[in-house]
Structures are given as C-alpha cells and as structure tokens.
Amino acid sequence: MRSPALVLLCCLVAAWPVLAADGIRTERVHFKAGSTGATVTGRLHGNQDVDYLLGAKAGQHMSVQLHSDNPQNYFNILPPGSEEALFVGSSSGGRFDGTLPDTGDYRIRVYLMRAAARRGEQANYSLKVQIGGGHPQSAAPKHDFADSLAGGPDFWEVSGVAAGDALNLRREPTSKAGVIVAMRNGTVLRNHGCEMHGGQRWCQVSMRDDPQRRGWVAGHYLRESSQ
C-alpha cells in the first residue's frame, strides 16, 4: 500500500526527466486530468539543453510561452521524428501559436544561445504549454499585435525586440529566407496582410519611407502604429 506522501508526490510531478544519448535531458510533460495545459519550470546552465516531450494530433492548436530571467534563453519546437524545427525562438521570439501539422511526439527544446552558453550563463525559466482542438478565430487574444490573418491597420510598428537585437525583414515567410534589412523597435511598416506559415504568423510589410523594400516579418513583433 502506498503512503499518502508518495501518492501526493506522484500527483505533483508535471514532467519526468530522462537523459538522452546526446546529453540533452528529456522530460515527458503530463497534463492533469481535465486540463489542456501545464506549466513547467527549470534552470539551465551553460550548454545544458532540455527537451520537453508531449504527444499531440495533427490539426490541434498548440501555444507555448517562455518566461526567463535571461534574454538569451529561447526554445525551438521540433515535430515528430525530425530535427528540423518548425519554430525557432531566437528568430521568432518567446511565444508560439500554431496548428500542428503531424501526429506524434513534439519536442520543445529549451536552450541558451551559444555565446551565452560558452560564457557559462544561467537561466531560470517557466514554460507554459497548452494544446487544444482547432484555433477558433473568436478565441484570438484581444490586443493590437499582428494576430489577424488579414486586414488590420494601415501601419505596424516593430515592438518587443530584445535590447541590442533587431527584427529581420525577410524575402519569404520563413526564418531561413534571406534578410532584406534589420529593423529596430519603433520602425514603422506598411501592412500588406498576414498569413500562417510553418505554424507561425508572418506579415507582409514594406518600409514606410522606402516602399521598394518589401518582405515578411514575424507577426509577434508587430503592434498597431499610432502614425
């Protein structure tokens, strides 16, 4: 017969750690009964990486948000059976919202950027994960960021980029596309509409003062401009 303390401990654990062959620690995320999400906390030091593993079905909507005390702390999302990330946090930010393309185990890999890891930096973080059915438009957050797939304001403003960093205007709606120009917070851009690509929202924009510079940016870093 299990002791009450042991039963309570089992109920409180949200993720079980396993050390993978490549040295990346893996933790299986479990949702409590009746819940569609979970929040896990952790700490990184140097080159330590953690994969949070959870199963999902094609067509489900997943949102992931990272809060950390180190601005060089990011996460990637790897689809089932692949090392090619469908979301790269270092170029797209600390939040993912998208529809999942395949059924299977997804890996949310939390890491420090290479330079920070080499310096032996640390990060204390929390990762909030939610998985549900489709992504109903009525459930979209009510704020002035670029979170609609069409329409919106005439102009966006670059916002939320980390200090010393820049938002890349790319030739195609993917983080692998060529960079046209890098832009700082406050840059005003003309809106040409937003679309979902690779599980994240991309917006087609052009430079207000140079309309020939036209391309795609991650919608998470845009908000409605007052100009």
Side-chain angles (χ1 to χ4, degrees):
M1 180 175 179
R2 294 183 179 182
S3 69
L6 179 59
V7 172
L8 177 61
L9 177 62
C10 292
C11 292
L12 291 176
V13 174
W16 302 97
V18 176
L19 187 62
D22 55 9
I24 298 176
R25 183 162 52 90
T26 298
E27 297 188 9
R28 169 71 68 173
V29 178
H30 299 281
F31 295 171
K32 292 182 179 180
S35 173
T36 59
T39 299
V40 294
T41 60
R43 183 179 185 183
L44 294 178
H45 179 268
N47 290 314
Q48 296 173 338
D49 292 347
V50 182
D51 276 0
Y52 290 101
L53 191 68
L54 67 162
K57 296 180 180 180
Q60 285 189 302
H61 176 258
M62 180 166 72
S63 67
V64 182
Q65 186 163 12
L66 176 71
H67 293 285
S68 176
D69 61 4
N70 189 325
Q72 300 301 309
N73 186 191
Y74 294 100
F75 70 90
N76 295 348
I77 298 178
L78 289 76
S82 175
E83 288 293 328
E84 183 175 353
L86 62 82
F87 175 86
V88 179
S90 60
S91 60
S92 299
R95 182 180 178 88
F96 167 83
D97 277 288
T99 301
L100 300 178
D102 300 300
T103 297
D105 281 337
Y106 284 79
R107 285 175 289 160
I108 304 171
R109 179 166 295 170
V110 182
Y111 61 94
L112 285 168
M113 292 294 287
R114 183 174 300 178
R118 287 175 175 172
R119 291 192 295 267
E121 293 187 15
Q122 299 181 10
N124 297 288
Y125 63 87
S126 66
L127 193 72
K128 183 178 181 180
V129 184
Q130 289 187 304
I131 294 181
H135 187 33
Q137 294 299 316
S138 60
K142 297 182 182 301
H143 50 44
D144 61 355
F145 285 79
D147 59 354
S148 61
L149 300 183
D154 291 333
F155 294 97
W156 297 122
E157 178 180 321
V158 177
S159 175
V161 178
D165 204 349
L167 176 65
N168 291 324
L169 178 66
R170 297 185 180 274
R171 300 185 186 281
E172 301 292 339
T174 169
S175 59
K176 297 180 180 180
V179 176
I180 299 172
V181 64
M183 304 169 293
R184 303 292 183 183
N185 285 330
T187 302
V188 177
L189 305 166
R190 181 174 291 278
N191 174 31
H192 298 288
C194 303
E195 301 174 3
M196 294 297 292
H197 291 276
Q200 65 176 308
R201 186 172 294 103
W202 289 85
C203 297
Q204 191 177 38
V205 298
S206 60
M207 304 290 291
R208 184 183 59 172
D209 301 325
D210 187 1
Q212 298 303 313
R213 289 191 174 187
R214 179 166 172 165
W216 296 83
V217 296
H220 177 70
Y221 292 100
L222 301 179
R223 69 178 181 184
E224 184 176 356
S225 173
S226 59
Q227 300 187 33

